[in-house]
């Protein structure tokens, strides 16, 4: 972002140049106008087309539970921001696009209002403003915090190196089939990917992958070492990496920076539950994602973690995506019953089927004393509150 820091305009200069910049948008020059307070960028004026494009990308991510979860982790890890905050900063209504409640001002009015919006942004408020002299807005004023996410998602480093380019105009990184990558690496990788494809069990390739140069170089090094010492540690590491990439493109893995949440098919859940319970009893809190035909639908978590999420849901009084999470009976008079483990084995698949059908089914699974130990709940409900979870309290 260093170039954008250096190129950010002082408030007075930005106000006097605003009309010229917005006229440039109409002529196809979509370079954003970055406005600073003397120390750092605070506001950005960008074309309405760029804002709409960014909104559509977010909507696409939020429509998929796994992508939405990745987005929450990505924003929290890199920007200390929730996806809800980003949606608000962009004035997004997930049902109707740009919110109709947002007032549009003329270019002259926007120039007068810039100091007030700069102050609002510095105080932590949302400075969003639609700008245009016609019936439709031609530009938008947004927080630099939101624009920084756009830069990073589009390849912020490339944009920073070329301040004359528009972040929106940057092309998406090209994707390469895993089979093509394996052929370029060598015969060992080609054989491993062929074996992975042979054991795919009908699961489809859902996503294209872009391989960073550092990863490709590491894979080439492993390929060379695996050829030199077949069956050694390099071969095992190469196979593990290629297997992880295969899972990512099949939608069976979280592509975030955290450890991947394991995926379990609903049909396999009854046979897997005893082992999964042992996983949690050994002190692990990492969730399991449960789905049907590779589509994530539900999460399996400990009741301790569920209670933390339930407290958050009560404090928030629910969200647009999830209700206040219920507690089991008798804690809630009308709450779902806590099922014995043997019963849970018999009905767990049916619960996930209900979730796939749009029902808000939850399965509370008892320990040997009859107390709730594990929970299977709709994944979108869990993702709705996980961003507010105090991770230290989970690890304690």
């Amino acid at each position: 972002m260093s170039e954008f820091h250096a190129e950010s305009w002082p408030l007075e200069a930005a106000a006097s140049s605003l009309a010229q910049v917005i006229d440039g948008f109409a002529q196809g020059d979509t370079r954003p106008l970055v406005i600073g307070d003397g120390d750092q960028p605070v506001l950005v004026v960008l074309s309405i087309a760029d804002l709409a494009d960014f909104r559509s990308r977010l909507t696409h991510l939020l429509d998929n539970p796994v992508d939405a979860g990745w987005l929450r982790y990505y924003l929290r890890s890199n920007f200390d921001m929730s996806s809800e905050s980003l949606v608000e900063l962009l004035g997004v209504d997930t049902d109707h696009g740009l919110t109709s409640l947002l007032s549009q001002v003329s270019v002259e009015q926007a120039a007068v209002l810039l100091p007030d919006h700069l102050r609002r942004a510095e105080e932590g408020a949302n400075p969003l403003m639609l700008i245009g002299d016609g019936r439709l807005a031609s530009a938008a004023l947004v927080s630099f915090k939101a624009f920084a996410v756009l830069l990073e998602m589009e390849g912020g480093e490339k944009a920073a190196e070329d301040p004359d380019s528009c972040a929106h105009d940057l092309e998406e990184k090209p994707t390469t089939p895993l089979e093509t990558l394996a052929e370029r690496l060598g015969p060992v990788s080609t054989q491993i990917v062929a074996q992975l494809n042979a054991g795919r069990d009908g699961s489809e390739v859902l996503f294209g992958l872009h391989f960073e140069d550092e990863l490709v170089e590491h894979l080439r090094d492993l390929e060379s070492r695996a050829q030199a010492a077949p069956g050694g540690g390099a071969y095992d590491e190469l196979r593990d990496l290629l297997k992880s990439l295969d899972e990512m493109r099949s939608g069976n893995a979280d592509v975030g920076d955290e450890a991947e949440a394991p995926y379990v098919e609903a049909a396999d859940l009854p046979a897997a539950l005893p082992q999964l319970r042992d996983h949690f009893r050994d002190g692990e809190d990492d969730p399991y994602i449960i789905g049907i035909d590779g589509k994530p639908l539900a999460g399996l978590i400990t009741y301790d973690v569920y209670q933390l999420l339930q407290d958050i849901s009560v404090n928030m009084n629910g969200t647009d995506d999830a209700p206040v999470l219920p507690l089991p009976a008798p804690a809630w008079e009308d709450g779902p019953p806590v099922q014995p483990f043997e019963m849970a084995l018999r009905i767990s698949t049916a619960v996930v089927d209900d979730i796939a059908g749009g029902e808000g089914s939850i399965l509370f699974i008892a320990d040997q004393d009859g107390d709730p130990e594990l929970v299977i709940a709709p994944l979108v409900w869990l993702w709705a509150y996980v961003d507010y979870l105090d991770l230290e309290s989970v690890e304690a």
Side-chain angles (χ1 to χ4, degrees):
M1 302 276 178
S2 58
E3 292 290 346
F4 278 103
H5 281 261
E7 295 292 325
S8 60
W9 287 49
L11 183 62
E12 295 76 10
S16 62
S17 302
L18 187 61
Q20 180 180 353
V21 170
I22 294 179
D23 285 342
F25 291 163
Q27 302 300 320
D29 182 0
T30 57
R31 289 174 295 177
L33 171 63
V34 181
I35 305 169
D37 62 0
D39 296 322
Q40 60 185 354
V42 180
L43 301 172
V44 179
V45 178
L46 71 165
S47 73
I48 200 68
D50 286 354
L51 180 61
D53 179 73
F54 193 12
R55 180 206 63 79
S56 68
R57 292 166 187 247
L58 284 180
T59 301
H60 178 74
L61 289 173
L62 294 172
D63 281 344
N64 183 291
V66 173
D67 290 339
W70 169 82
L71 180 63
R72 290 178 186 277
Y73 171 75
Y74 176 80
L75 293 174
R76 180 174 55 179
S77 300
N78 294 280
F79 300 96
D80 192 24
M81 178 190 301
S82 68
S83 57
E84 289 79 9
S85 296
L86 180 59
V87 164
E88 180 182 356
L89 288 173
L90 296 173
V92 172
D93 179 329
T94 55
D95 293 324
H96 306 99
L98 295 176
T99 175
S100 58
L101 298 178
L102 191 66
S103 299
Q104 179 178 323
V105 301
S106 67
V107 176
E108 291 75 15
Q109 290 171 326
V112 173
L113 291 171
L114 275 182
D116 179 61
H117 283 254
L118 181 70
R119 176 187 56 79
R120 287 171 52 82
E122 291 180 325
E123 292 175 353
N126 186 2
L128 182 63
M129 177 168 57
L130 297 186
I131 308 170
D133 290 325
R135 294 181 59 187
L136 298 176
S138 55
L141 178 76
V142 300
S143 164
F144 187 82
K145 291 181 180 179
F147 182 68
V149 178
L150 172 60
L151 283 182
E152 197 67 29
M153 292 179 69
E154 286 283 359
E157 291 301 321
K158 184 176 179 181
E161 291 170 3
D162 182 11
D164 292 328
S165 69
C166 171
H168 172 64
D169 290 336
L170 294 177
E171 296 183 356
E172 295 184 359
K173 294 181 178 181
T175 60
T176 303
L178 188 59
E179 293 77 10
T180 301
L181 173 67
E183 291 175 0
R184 293 173 180 172
L185 294 175
V188 177
S189 298
T190 301
Q191 182 185 42
I192 291 173
V193 172
Q195 292 171 348
L196 293 172
N197 287 338
R200 183 176 296 282
D201 296 329
S203 59
E204 299 179 359
V205 173
L206 302 178
F207 307 110
L209 299 179
H210 171 77
F211 306 107
E212 297 291 346
D213 293 341
E214 294 81 358
L215 174 61
V216 174
E217 288 302 317
H218 182 56
L219 290 169
R220 283 175 176 159
D221 178 62
L222 293 175
E223 168 76 25
S224 299
R225 290 160 53 194
Q227 290 182 30
Y235 176 86
D236 293 337
E237 184 178 351
L238 178 62
R239 179 176 177 81
D240 288 344
L241 274 174
L242 292 174
K243 182 179 179 181
S244 296
L245 295 172
D246 182 58
E247 290 173 347
M248 288 181 184
R249 68 174 181 167
S250 301
N252 294 338
D254 181 358
V255 297
D257 293 333
E258 286 186 331
E260 298 171 2
Y263 175 88
V264 179
E265 274 289 323
D268 301 329
L269 192 54
L273 258 181
Q275 182 178 353
L276 303 186
R277 180 179 62 175
D278 291 341
H279 162 85
F280 290 117
R281 287 182 173 180
D282 287 339
E284 298 294 333
D285 286 310
D286 295 335
Y288 282 83
I289 293 177
I290 305 166
I292 298 176
D293 296 332
K295 180 180 179 180
L297 296 166
L300 172 66
I301 60 176
T302 66
Y303 185 69
D304 290 340
V305 172
Y306 180 85
Q307 283 184 301
L308 296 173
L309 295 175
Q310 200 274 339
D311 287 341
I312 294 171
S313 75
V314 171
N315 293 333
M316 295 180 62
N317 196 29
T319 72
D320 292 339
D321 298 321
V324 173
L325 298 178
L327 289 174
W332 275 25
E333 183 177 351
D334 297 326
V338 179
Q339 299 289 354
F341 188 73
E342 293 73 17
M343 177 62 71
L345 293 176
R346 292 198 289 269
I347 67 174
S348 57
T349 300
V351 169
V352 180
D353 287 337
D354 288 345
I355 293 173
E359 298 184 24
S361 297
I362 290 185
L363 176 59
F364 294 100
I365 305 173
D367 62 12
Q368 64 274 11
D369 297 322
D371 297 322
E373 181 180 19
L374 302 175
V375 183
I376 295 175
L379 191 60
V380 290
W381 289 9
L382 302 179
W383 278 133
Y385 301 112
V386 72
D387 194 53
Y388 306 93
L389 189 62
D390 182 357
L391 297 180
E392 293 183 358
S393 65
V394 176
E395 296 170 356

